[in-house]
Amino acid sequence: MIKNKGIAVVQQASTPNQKTAIFTFKDLETKELPEFEYVPTLLIIGNVVHLHQKFAWFKENNTTASYFDNHKTLLQNAI
């Protein structure tokens, strides 16, 4: 069922400042996705998201600092 499929928002993936938020489509009925504060940000969708805790290969710092230059202000309207 699609409501049980996972959604992962991974900011600054594979850096020391990686931050991951996990949701299901059902969660989106009551929660909002986090702001995309830092680049790069990956969206991963599917049942594989539920394996995040099992296969976490390093501890996330969940920091609010940017590992890269923060391009939010420079590229926020670049579409």
Side-chain angles (χ1 to χ4, degrees), residues 4 21 25 35 40 42 46 50-51 55 58-60 66 74 76:
N4 293 327
F25 280 93
E35 286 192 35
L42 301 174
H50 299 300
L51 299 173
F55 291 106
F58 68 92
K59 183 176 178 174
E60 296 183 16
S66 177
L74 297 175
Q76 65 187 357

Side-chain angles (χ1 to χ4, degrees), residues 2 5 10 15 17-18 20-21 28 30 34 38-39 41 48 52 55 60-61 63-65 68-69 71 78-79:
I2 195 163
K5 283 196 177 181
V10 185
T15 73
N17 297 351
Q18 177 174 312
T20 304
L28 293 180
T30 58
Y38 302 106
V39 295
T41 297
V48 68
H52 169 67
F55 291 106
E60 296 183 16
N61 291 330
T63 184
T64 57
F68 304 98
D69 291 332
H71 294 88
I79 294 184

